[in-house]
């Protein structure tokens, strides 16, 4: 069982006017943006493993990012990134596996071979899932996004001991998908009056169960801000 997550108070996001933290001083730092779904994956993983004292979350303001972040921390200039043992690594799917493998806390991948292979396949599908849904915003949205949500519904039917993708245990697969499903559920309802769980009972149950997980709750984004962001980004003429 995961360690209970304290509702921590995150510092104000660092921007172009902010001094850098004391870099490479032995502190493990997870650089995120509070509104970024990719960064949210790593934030949930850190919380679930009970690493609040071991990994310090450092929010970055992506709209006004500090020059030192690119110059001294992560040349890709994206989030998330993890400063650990004198090096910095990025890419959210790599990072959640890295955090799971290199730190204490409950394991987020199964030992069972069939489940492990299924996990790899589903994690590999996340980019296709996201691309399908984001592309649908430019066309017949509900119709074009439907198969992506159906894919998740079918995947959630694989193991009978649900409600998560790998059965009864929460895993990196759930963490890989929930930041995006969270956003899509809000946005499809607000902008297209469409419930992504309609006719997809497993997906509905999965979202309900993930929402009970303490490690996830503090990472959720503000629905109103989210809808405004998606309107401006995807629906602006």
């Amino acid at each position: 069982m995961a360690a209970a997550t304290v509702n921590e108070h995150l510092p104000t996001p660092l921007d172009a006017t902010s001094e850098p933290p004391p870099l490479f001083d032995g502190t493990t730092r997870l650089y995120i943006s509070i509104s970024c779904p990719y960064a949210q994956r790593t934030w949930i993983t850190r919380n679930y493993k009970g690493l609040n004292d071991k990994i310090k979350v450092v929010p970055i303001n992506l709209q006004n990012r500090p020059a030192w972040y690119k110059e001294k921390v992560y040349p890709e200039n994206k989030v998330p990134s993890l400063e650990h043992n004198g090096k910095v690594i990025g890419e959210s799917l790599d990072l959640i596996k890295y955090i799971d493998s290199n730190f204490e806390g409950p394991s987020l991948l199964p030992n069972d071979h069939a489940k492990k292979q299924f996990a790899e396949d589903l994690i590999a599908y996340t980019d296709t899932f996201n691309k399908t849904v984001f592309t649908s915003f430019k066309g017949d949205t509900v119709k074009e996004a439907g198969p992506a949500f159906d894919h998740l519904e079918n995947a959630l039917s694989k193991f009978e001991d649900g409600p998560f993708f790998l059965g009864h245990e929460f895993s990196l697969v759930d963490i890989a998908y929930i930041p995006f499903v969270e956003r899509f559920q809000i946005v499809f309802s607000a902008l297209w009056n469409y419930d992504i769980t309609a006719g997809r009972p497993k997906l509905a149950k999965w979202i309900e169960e993930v929402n009970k997980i303490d490690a996830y709750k503090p990472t959720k984004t503000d629905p109103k801000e989210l809808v405004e962001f998606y309107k401006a980004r995807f629906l602006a003429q």
Side-chain angles (χ1 to χ4, degrees):
M1 192 59 199
T5 301
V6 195
N7 260 342
E8 61 188 320
H9 177 69
L10 292 183
T12 303
L14 301 178
D15 64 16
T17 66
S18 307
E19 291 295 314
L23 303 171
F24 305 111
D25 63 346
T27 304
T28 301
R29 294 182 179 89
L30 176 63
Y31 296 91
I32 67 165
S33 160
I34 292 167
S35 60
C36 170
Y38 296 97
Q40 189 181 357
R41 288 168 166 168
T42 60
W43 189 7
I44 297 167
T45 305
R46 171 259 202 186
N47 291 352
Y48 193 83
K49 291 181 76 72
L51 298 169
N52 296 44
D53 295 332
K54 299 278 171 67
I55 300 179
K56 183 176 182 178
V57 170
V58 181
I60 298 286
N61 181 337
L62 294 184
Q63 278 65 51
N64 186 23
R65 56 192 92 184
W68 53 258
Y69 182 68
K70 181 178 181 180
E71 291 162 7
K72 298 179 179 177
V73 179
Y74 191 44
E76 299 284 334
N77 206 21
K78 300 187 298 187
V79 292
S81 71
L82 184 76
E83 175 190 337
H84 181 233
N85 285 349
K87 65 181 187 293
V88 175
I89 52 176
E91 297 302 328
S92 65
L93 294 176
D94 295 333
L95 263 181
I96 60 175
K97 292 175 185 175
Y98 181 89
I99 294 169
D100 191 39
S101 303
N102 288 277
F103 292 87
E104 63 196 47
S107 174
L108 282 158
L109 277 179
N111 293 320
D112 178 85
H113 178 73
K115 286 190 174 184
K116 192 173 276 187
Q117 184 56 55
F118 190 59
E120 289 297 333
D121 292 347
L122 275 176
I123 289 171
Y125 175 72
T126 57
D127 285 343
T128 302
F129 171 76
N130 292 333
K131 187 178 178 183
T132 301
V133 179
F134 282 126
T135 303
S136 79
F137 292 168
K138 300 184 179 82
D140 186 345
T141 303
V142 171
K143 183 180 177 185
E144 290 174 26
F149 296 121
D150 290 340
H151 190 101
L152 298 194
E153 180 70 14
N154 292 335
L156 285 161
S157 307
K158 171 92 171 172
F159 297 108
E160 290 301 316
D161 58 337
F164 303 113
F165 280 105
L166 302 184
H168 66 282
E169 289 188 10
F170 186 67
S171 75
L172 292 183
V173 182
D174 305 294
I175 289 171
Y177 281 97
I178 191 58
F180 294 91
V181 173
E182 171 195 327
R183 284 160 175 76
F184 295 151
Q185 184 179 33
I186 292 165
V187 168
F188 272 74
S189 175
L191 303 184
W192 289 283
N193 195 29
Y194 178 69
D195 176 4
I196 64 168
T197 67
R200 300 184 183 103
K202 302 268 189 192
L203 184 61
K205 180 66 174 170
W206 175 74
I207 293 170
E208 181 188 331
E209 292 299 321
V210 173
N211 270 284
K212 295 176 184 174
I213 291 175
D214 288 335
Y216 167 60
K217 290 174 188 174
T219 73
K220 292 176 73 171
T221 197
D222 181 286
K224 285 182 182 171
E225 288 181 16
L226 187 70
V227 170
E228 291 309 312
F229 172 78
Y230 273 69
K231 264 186 188 170
R233 181 162 181 189
F234 296 103
L235 298 184
Q237 294 303 313

